[in-house]
Amino acid sequence: MNLRSSWVAETGQTREDTRLTQLGATTPANPLDVRSGILPGSYDGQYRLSGFWLEGGAGTMTATVHEGRAVVQADSNQGAYPVTLAEPITLTFADGDASYGRIDVVVLRVYDDLYDDSGFTKAAVEIVRGTPAATPVVPALPEIALPVYQVAVRAGISAGKGGVNWSTDVTDLRTPTVAVGGILPVYGDTGNGAYPGQYRDSGGALQRWDGSAWVSYPSALGGIAPSGAVATASYTGQYRDSPAGLQRWNGTAWVTYQPVPTWTNYTPVWRCEAGVAPVLGNGTLAGAYVKTGTVVTFRIYLKIGSTTNLSAQDANGDWTFSLPAAPVSTAWKLDGRVLNAEAFDETTGLTYQGSGLLAVANGGVVRSLRDTLKTSGSSWDKSLPFAWAVNDILSVHGTYESAS
């Protein structure tokens, strides 16, 4: 009979009918098989998985396996076997080989004489003993068995020679299983999901199987993932919160989305377009800028010092100052007096208003500083808009579009 049912027929229900149709602790693995594993839970609620916990006795070869419930999947047509250890059980590991170590595995084993001709119909907690070797390997396991612990038995050990080191030589192999549709707690290797939309709790975040990978929820549905929940995005345009603010995945990296502007200092380069180049001496030249995307806001500050080489400069030198980022090279965006300038004459206490042009030369400069409200068409330098001297100040500032 291909179609199985349970608790329908008045007579004749088989053990296979019951196993194949039971819908309790059955995390799907495929349309027919379920996930072998241990049911989660602990007495005080502090632990994800306490069933079948192995507790070794110090200095001995003996360990206690504590109570728990599990499901062991057999062949697809054979079904899944629910098993329960109602009371703790004691296991004793054989002494170590005189020359070589070995690896033993503690398993939940199902005997079913209808399939294995073992002569038994039972479930058991057993030790599958490995073979001693210079490089020991994990032994082959019985056909219907769920591994729960792996124990390295070192050469020469016994109860009288220190016993098993339970803190270093034991590997926990337990994995959980839950009811169909339940959220699977991550403990050990939980493997791939069985269907898109399956959920698991990774300990730090809820995750959803998208058909090919576990992705943090709700990010897979377009929500903003909480800080620390997502390392690599599952699609371009995904957002996450971070200590640096909101971030967006651009396909290869997380980039700050709508960053908070902050000022960054830089040192402008002071040049001239004719004659001897300016030398600052003990004057002050500083700059600062904010760049958000291709929008650059900046300020340049120049204060003439007593050793600034004004006397050596050409009377028509035409000063220029480097920008913090190269401007876009589009002609109409470069033409026009788009930047502001102020010159303060410390001797008279007068401030002169001016403007400047953008240029792509030398990586981007402001040049052709000149009067805004006056009629002079000459560019500012040591002689304009007044004869510059110690403590006079030039300020250039504004906003422009950068090339990148």
Side-chain angles (χ1 to χ4, degrees):
M1 181 172 65
N2 292 328
L3 183 63
R4 304 278 187 165
S5 64
S6 61
W7 312 119
V8 174
E10 293 183 7
T11 60
Q13 176 168 319
T14 67
R15 288 177 292 174
E16 289 92 341
D17 291 336
T18 303
R19 290 195 301 269
L20 287 168
T21 57
Q22 61 95 10
L23 299 176
T26 52
T27 300
N30 58 48
L32 281 181
D33 294 347
V34 301
R35 174 188 174 84
S36 293
I38 296 169
L39 275 66
S42 60
Y43 288 111
D44 54 11
Q46 294 186 43
Y47 305 100
R48 290 172 174 262
L49 209 61
S50 66
F52 297 95
W53 170 51
L54 184 144
E55 181 182 16
T60 72
M61 303 295 291
T62 302
T64 299
V65 178
H66 290 271
E67 61 273 19
R69 294 182 296 163
V71 174
V72 183
Q73 174 68 46
D75 180 78
S76 295
N77 293 321
Q78 190 172 340
Y81 293 79
V83 300
T84 299
L85 179 63
E87 297 179 349
I89 186 173
T90 300
L91 298 177
T92 300
F93 292 82
D95 293 345
D97 179 77
S99 302
Y100 299 114
R102 70 172 192 273
I103 296 175
D104 292 352
V105 180
V106 178
V107 299
L108 306 182
R109 182 176 181 180
V110 173
Y111 292 86
D112 192 334
D113 187 55
L114 291 176
Y115 295 94
D116 57 24
D117 296 323
S118 63
F120 299 104
T121 303
K122 67 177 182 177
V125 180
E126 294 183 349
I127 299 172
V128 179
R129 188 185 304 180
T131 301
T135 305
V137 297
V138 177
L141 301 183
E143 185 174 355
I144 311 176
L146 174 64
V148 291
Y149 279 93
Q150 179 177 299
V151 178
V153 181
R154 299 178 184 271
I157 66 168
S158 64
K161 296 181 180 180
V164 174
N165 188 331
W166 303 105
S167 61
T168 61
D169 293 343
V170 177
T171 302
D172 190 348
L173 303 179
R174 294 176 300 165
T175 56
T177 190
V178 294
V180 60
I183 296 175
L184 185 69
V186 173
Y187 188 95
D189 180 15
T190 59
N192 293 337
Y195 56 89
Q198 184 178 359
Y199 290 89
R200 74 177 186 181
D201 181 357
S202 68
L206 186 63
Q207 295 179 323
R208 178 181 181 273
W209 180 255
D210 69 357
S212 60
W214 291 103
V215 295
S216 293
Y217 178 84
S219 56
L221 302 180
I224 298 174
S227 180
V230 177
T232 301
S234 56
Y235 58 89
T236 300
Q238 184 177 354
Y239 290 88
R240 74 175 183 182
D241 188 19
S242 77
L246 187 63
Q247 294 181 322
R248 179 182 181 275
W249 182 258
N250 67 4
T252 57
W254 292 102
V255 294
T256 302
Y257 182 75
Q258 294 182 336
V260 177
T262 57
W263 284 92
T264 301
N265 294 333
Y266 86 105
T267 301
V269 178
W270 182 18
R271 300 184 181 93
C272 63
E273 296 184 348
V276 176
V279 176
L280 181 63
N282 61 359
T284 302
L285 178 60
Y289 69 97
V290 174
K291 188 175 187 295
T292 305
T294 58
V295 178
V296 181
T297 300
F298 80 102
R299 181 195 177 195
I300 296 172
Y301 173 87
L302 170 65
K303 185 174 184 179
I304 303 298
S306 60
T307 60
T308 302
N309 71 334
L310 291 175
S311 60
Q313 296 181 34
D314 194 287
N316 295 303
D318 298 348
W319 292 342
T320 71
F321 296 89
S322 65
L323 296 168
V328 66
S329 59
T330 306
W332 70 266
K333 295 181 179 182
L334 289 173
D335 292 341
R337 293 173 176 154
V338 296
L339 303 176
N340 298 316
E342 288 87 33
F344 174 72
D345 183 356
E346 197 266 344
T347 302
T348 63
L350 298 177
T351 299
Y352 296 78
Q353 292 184 335
S355 61
L357 297 177
L358 288 168
V360 295
N362 294 311
V365 298
V366 54
R367 63 176 295 273
S368 196
L369 303 177
R370 61 185 67 193
D371 295 351
T372 296
L373 301 178
K374 292 202 164 209
T375 58
S376 173
S378 299
S379 296
W380 288 0
D381 47 34
K382 77 169 190 177
S383 58
L384 285 173
F386 48 80
W388 288 78
V390 176
N391 293 329
D392 291 342
I393 295 173
L394 172 65
S395 177
V396 183
H397 54 93
T399 299
Y400 68 94
E401 181 181 350
S402 67
S404 61

